[in-house]
Amino acid sequence: MEILSENRKGSWILVSNIFMNVEKVQQSIRQAALRAGRDPHAVTLIAVSKTRTVEEIEAALAAGITHLGENRVQEMAQKVGPLEGRGATWHLIGSLQTNKVKQALEMANLIHGLDRDSLLDELIRQAERRGRTCDALVQVNVSGEESKHGISPGSLLPFLRRISQQQWVRVRGLMTMAPLSENPEDARPHFRRLRELADEARELALPNVCMEHLSMGMSGDYEVAVEEGATFVRVGTAIFGERA
Ligand SMILES: *Cc1c(COP(=O)(O)O)cnc(C)c1O
């Protein structure tokens, strides 16, 4: 009889928990999509791996995760290397400082937090230097909370018009965060508002601006987000457990 060391046993439990959680979240996404009459394949689950180890992320990849989200460039840099060649798509989901843009563009496939002119300018500058266009989502502060990043809904269309006047940064959609709440239903009006803003933006048919993606919904409210049209949900805790 083979007896696992405490260490091996611990990591086996970790891996099997992550497996079960990924399956559970995927199932809930499917059900929420079907409730709303949407195609479940139109929703991509981003596993938010901030504060998690490479070992935990590998368990998520083995469970079928293909999209990973980090909110800090520095932390992303520590993980992209060891996980190179695993086919993961990396999302930078947090607010981005202009002095980190160069490094961010080397690693992230999609920047979720484009929310101001100075960041746009630096993204354009660095994308042009690289000779490669950069894909981004414009973050909107739908709830108007002062603590939240994001452009105000009223400034969105002028910002998108400005973006449409250049070629290096392409907007692929919008991103938002709902206020923290125990009740997922509290998030619904904010998610709905983001979808309406995307509809308004789509009507302008601006060059370099398309509205194919809505990045909204976290562990506490991703099912509501899917019902309201999310194409990306960003889920950490429900996959990896509580953060320390
Ligand atoms: C941490 C984080 C998430 C995931 O939060 P959970 O509640 O752990 O699912 C999603 N989006 C952003 C921007 C985050 O920083």
Side-chain angles (χ1 to χ4, degrees):
M1 191 171 85
E2 193 178 331
I3 297 174
L4 291 172
S5 68
E6 273 310 308
N7 203 0
R8 298 262 324 261
K9 208 156 86 189
S11 65
W12 189 83
I13 290 169
L14 180 113
V15 167
S16 73
N17 279 344
I18 291 173
F19 257 73
M20 286 190 300
N21 290 342
V22 167
E23 183 49 43
K24 214 158 64 187
V25 172
Q26 294 281 26
Q27 181 68 21
S28 304
I29 289 172
R30 269 194 295 277
Q31 285 164 351
L34 294 174
R35 274 199 300 280
R38 300 184 59 208
D39 176 4
H41 295 108
V43 186
T44 299
L45 171 59
I46 299 173
V48 176
S49 52
K50 65 188 186 202
T51 77
R52 314 299 175 169
T53 62
V54 168
E55 186 190 24
E56 287 171 290
I57 300 171
E58 283 187 326
L61 294 173
I65 290 292
T66 53
H67 289 252
L68 295 169
E70 288 282 341
N71 67 339
R72 289 157 172 270
V73 173
Q74 225 74 355
E75 194 179 339
M76 186 184 268
Q78 289 164 9
K79 298 171 185 176
V80 165
L83 294 165
E84 196 166 5
R86 302 292 299 272
T89 299
W90 290 90
H91 298 255
L92 188 68
I93 61 175
S95 71
L96 176 57
Q97 293 167 269
T98 49
N99 63 356
K100 303 270 168 60
V101 164
K102 185 166 181 280
Q103 203 184 0
L105 291 186
E106 286 161 9
M107 304 184 295
N109 301 90
L110 186 62
I111 309 279
H112 288 231
L114 173 53
D115 65 352
R116 59 195 189 278
D117 285 324
S118 59
L119 179 56
L120 174 63
D121 291 339
E122 185 61 11
L123 284 169
I124 293 169
R125 204 168 78 86
Q126 295 294 345
E128 187 167 9
R129 272 177 63 160
R130 283 161 53 86
R132 289 173 63 171
T133 56
C134 150
D135 284 340
L137 305 179
V138 173
Q139 182 170 355
V140 186
N141 184 358
V142 175
S143 67
E145 285 176 295
E146 268 185 34
S147 60
K148 288 260 190 304
H149 291 280
I151 198 162
S152 70
S155 311
L156 175 64
L157 297 184
F159 190 50
L160 292 176
R161 282 206 178 84
R162 222 203 115 198
I163 293 169
S164 72
Q165 288 159 8
Q166 54 75 55
Q167 301 158 32
W168 291 103
V169 176
R170 299 188 305 181
V171 167
R172 308 287 303 272
L174 305 179
M175 180 271 210
T176 200
M177 289 175 83
L180 275 183
S181 166
E182 293 289 301
N183 182 3
E185 283 301 322
D186 291 345
R188 193 180 295 278
H190 304 288
F191 295 155
R192 192 168 287 171
R193 184 82 186 104
L194 193 73
R195 190 186 62 207
E196 290 166 356
L197 288 168
D199 291 342
E200 287 171 34
R202 195 176 293 113
E203 288 198 359
L204 300 180
L206 296 168
N208 273 317
V209 174
C210 78
M211 285 291 140
E212 70 188 289
H213 286 298
L214 291 176
S215 169
M216 55 191 196
M218 314 189 352
S219 290
D221 53 24
Y222 69 89
E223 290 162 275
V224 171
V226 170
E227 288 172 3
E228 294 300 329
T231 66
F232 286 121
V233 291
R234 310 178 307 266
V235 178
T237 310
I239 291 175
F240 296 105
E242 290 295 333
R243 275 183 295 275

